[in-house]
Amino acid sequence: MIYTSVRAFSSTRGVQSTIRRVAVVGGGQMGSGIAQVAATFNHNVTLVDVNQEALDKSRTYMQKSLARVAKKKFADDAQAQKHFVDDVLGRVSMSTTPSSAVSNADLVVEAIVENIKVKQDLFASLAPLAPRSCILASNTSSLSIANIAEPLDAQVRSRFVGLHFFNPVPQMKLVEVVRSAEAHNDVVAKAVAFVEAIGKAPAVCKDTPGFIVNRLLLPYMMEAIRLLERDVASARDIDTAMKLGAGYPMGPFELCDYVGLDTIKFIVDGWHKDAPGLQGSELFAPSTKLNELVASGRLGVKSGGGFYDY
């Protein structure tokens, strides 16, 4: 019933017009992608990172990404392509000063390193500087929203949610909207409306380990690794079986390499150690093969090799 009321409320004009100014903290690929998409849909965005060099890389990433979009939209019109890119980037400001970026924001989205202490410290510093109506959101893929918000006061926790975008943000339609037990319904509704307003599809879920996608995906990937460890089949044959037999667009090992083996290890090790309901679970027990690959620097596509070579 709660989710039904959230959906109904999100369709009202008042909610849709609430979020206009967005601050994105973290100028990596995820943060840049979030900034790009929000600006594309006419939001004024401030992208924040620690130094100008990082922000310059973010702008370059967005320019290249937007150029690809523009080429598809205006295939035979170079002037229209340029106008599109310039128009979107014109709504993105860059800043190395988080305090000024959040001072008039309607929404702050954090997209920094997946470390709970670093995230807690960031929000503790930003919360007093943002308007009392500002929604605070983490893009975490594996950490508890309630735990990230725990050091904040109750009023701030009531407007704290998860907005889990998927990589690459401009292409991936899904955003998981994660509500903790303390999040107010109207805050969740505004977050859902924002996701819809930027052309994405929201999926609302409770604050549980892995939310929806990763909670289903990680056991699948880990079981594939264990099949390999038991010499049931090769990685290539397991991938082929799942693509041709189950209709998956990618096999589990292709997916592991794309996600990043270090990321997978970080998540499953954390869940196995202390995640509520998953602590000590055999599903997420350490994998010798995964540990060896990560220790050797074979992290997947990003390092040039993982289960496969690239």
Side-chain angles (χ1 to χ4, degrees):
M1 292 300 294
I2 290 175
Y3 295 162
T4 300
S5 65
V6 164
R7 291 289 186 181
F9 189 63
S10 73
S11 66
T12 66
R13 185 181 299 267
V15 173
Q16 289 177 338
S17 64
T18 299
I19 295 175
R20 301 308 313 160
R21 296 177 299 275
V22 181
V24 180
V25 183
Q29 191 169 2
M30 290 300 295
S32 297
I34 296 167
Q36 174 188 322
V37 171
T40 299
F41 285 85
N42 297 312
H43 292 76
N44 294 314
V45 181
T46 303
L47 182 60
V48 182
D49 213 310
V50 293
N51 57 59
Q52 191 59 47
E53 182 181 1
L55 292 173
D56 290 341
K57 289 180 179 179
S58 300
R59 182 168 289 276
T60 299
Y61 169 84
M62 286 188 286
Q63 284 177 325
K64 291 180 178 178
S65 177
L66 286 166
R68 290 192 292 270
V69 175
K71 193 168 184 178
K72 291 181 181 179
K73 288 174 68 72
F74 310 102
D76 301 317
D77 191 337
Q79 186 174 355
Q81 292 177 28
K82 183 179 184 303
H83 175 76
F84 173 80
V85 173
D86 291 345
D87 183 54
V88 174
L89 288 178
R91 288 188 287 274
V92 181
S93 301
M94 304 287 188
S95 177
T96 56
T97 311
S99 57
S100 61
V102 306
S103 62
N104 67 343
D106 302 312
L107 170 68
V108 175
V109 183
E110 163 270 311
I112 62 172
V113 63
E114 198 77 337
N115 179 298
I116 192 163
K117 182 64 166 61
V118 176
K119 291 180 187 289
Q120 286 176 334
D121 289 347
L122 175 71
F123 281 113
S125 68
L126 295 182
L129 306 173
R132 285 180 61 84
S133 60
C134 177
I135 296 173
L136 303 179
S138 174
N139 181 56
T140 181
S141 62
S142 63
L143 300 174
S144 165
I145 297 301
N147 287 353
I148 295 172
E150 186 177 11
L152 307 174
D153 66 42
Q155 195 277 338
V156 178
R157 294 197 302 271
S158 72
R159 49 187 171 88
F160 196 105
V161 297
L163 287 179
H164 179 211
F165 290 79
F166 290 78
N167 190 32
V169 177
Q171 282 78 48
M172 299 295 281
K173 290 285 290 184
L174 180 67
V175 178
E176 290 176 321
V177 180
V178 187
R179 62 174 305 148
S180 70
E182 294 185 79
H184 285 179
N185 275 359
D186 63 332
V187 170
V188 178
K190 290 174 184 176
V192 167
F194 168 73
V195 170
E196 293 172 338
I198 61 172
K200 302 297 185 185
V204 181
C205 64
K206 291 182 178 179
D207 182 19
T208 58
F211 314 138
I212 300 171
V213 173
N214 282 339
R215 183 61 183 86
L216 294 172
L217 204 57
L218 267 296
Y220 162 68
M221 292 191 288
M222 290 303 295
E223 191 58 22
I225 294 171
R226 299 194 203 287
L227 286 177
L228 182 65
E229 288 177 329
R230 295 197 295 268
D231 201 28
V232 172
S234 68
R236 183 68 68 187
D237 283 343
I238 293 170
D239 277 352
T240 299
M242 294 309 296
K243 287 188 288 185
L244 301 184
Y248 285 23
M250 300 175 72
F253 295 102
E254 292 170 327
L255 186 59
C256 284
D257 279 353
Y258 181 77
V259 170
L261 304 190
D262 54 336
T263 300
I264 294 169
K265 174 176 165 54
F266 174 82
I267 295 172
V268 297
D269 285 354
W271 287 357
H272 188 259
K273 181 181 178 181
D274 57 17
L278 302 180
Q279 188 175 9
S281 170
E282 290 186 8
L283 275 174
F284 306 110
S287 157
T288 300
K289 181 66 174 177
L290 181 61
N291 289 347
E292 288 174 351
L293 287 169
V294 172
S296 68
R298 292 182 63 86
L299 308 180
V301 175
K302 62 186 175 185
S303 69
F307 286 103
Y308 300 112
D309 291 319
Y310 299 91

